[in-house]
Amino acid sequence: MKAGVRALGIAESYRGDHDRNRSTIAGAVVRADRVCDGFAYGSCRVGGTDGTGSIAGLVDDLGRPDARYVLLGTVAPAWYNLLDLTRLFEAVDRPVIAVTFEASDGLEDGLRDAFSGPDLESRLETYRSLPERHAVSVNDETVYVRAVGLEPTEAAAVVRGFTPEGGRPEPIRVAREAARAADAYARSLE
């Protein structure tokens, strides 16, 4: 991958009590050569259903068409605020790649424990609409990738191209640090 190719990493942070019902979302534009050249922030409701729209709004507000890919560090931020990857892809008009870092039997049991009725059904519908997860070997680690707008082999190449060491793509790593710092700052003001 050429050094100047950019991706927008998205991550979230929530470290608080249940009285604070917002999660911080950070976006970091990072080049394949690890140069960071842009940040944006947003939020979504903990346990809500606004995550997809919040991320789409963050991408739009950032105004960076040069960021060729959107890399997500989760599909269920903020306590099961499930992301609709197809809807996000359509809104941001570029490939969307969700990268997770642990093997899993899936989220259905957790969703059933946390929700019921229409809240459960809408989340199950969103969850079941997600593309299949593919295990990808990156620097002797395994990550799990879902992609919309790219074939699985292309998505794996993008993930590897933005992961110079370890198993976490640099745009997601930087966004995670930015989200944690912003969240800590917001808590200090409360």
Side-chain angles (χ1 to χ4, degrees):
M1 179 163 306
K2 293 184 180 180
V5 174
R6 290 167 174 82
L8 172 60
I10 304 285
E12 64 100 20
S13 176
Y14 173 75
R15 289 185 267 166
D17 56 35
H18 293 291
D19 293 334
R20 187 170 162 257
N21 65 356
R22 303 294 299 173
S23 184
T24 302
I25 300 172
V29 177
V30 178
R31 296 186 340 198
D33 64 1
R34 300 175 89 169
V35 172
C36 181
D37 69 357
F39 288 97
Y41 291 94
S43 68
C44 65
R45 272 189 44 239
V46 173
T49 58
D50 61 339
T52 301
S54 294
I55 292 171
L58 181 150
V59 173
D60 188 52
D61 291 347
L62 186 59
R64 293 294 301 266
D66 59 330
R68 291 178 44 188
Y69 310 99
V70 174
L71 301 178
L72 305 168
T74 183
V75 295
W79 196 65
Y80 298 120
N81 195 327
L82 285 166
L83 302 178
D84 182 330
L85 301 188
T86 300
R87 200 173 104 215
L88 185 59
F89 166 71
E90 291 166 353
V92 302
D93 195 29
R94 66 197 88 186
V96 173
I97 303 167
V99 183
T100 53
F101 307 98
E102 296 176 12
S104 165
D105 290 331
L107 299 178
E108 287 201 26
D109 288 343
L111 289 168
R112 289 180 195 291
D113 289 343
F115 301 97
S116 62
D119 288 336
L120 172 62
E121 292 308 315
S122 69
R123 283 171 175 80
L124 286 173
E125 182 178 337
T126 300
Y127 179 66
R128 290 172 179 159
S129 77
L130 292 172
E132 183 179 343
R133 257 173 38 133
H134 296 277
V136 175
S137 177
V138 180
N139 300 325
D140 297 325
E141 295 189 30
T142 301
V143 297
Y144 301 89
V145 176
R146 300 176 195 263
V148 179
L150 291 173
E151 293 299 318
T153 55
E154 295 171 303
V158 170
V159 169
R160 288 184 187 111
F162 280 95
T163 311
E165 60 187 38
R168 190 171 302 268
E170 193 69 0
I172 294 172
R173 188 193 69 77
V174 172
R176 182 178 73 166
E177 294 302 318
R180 286 178 174 176
D183 193 48
Y185 177 70
R187 282 185 304 126
S188 75
L189 298 176
E190 294 174 351

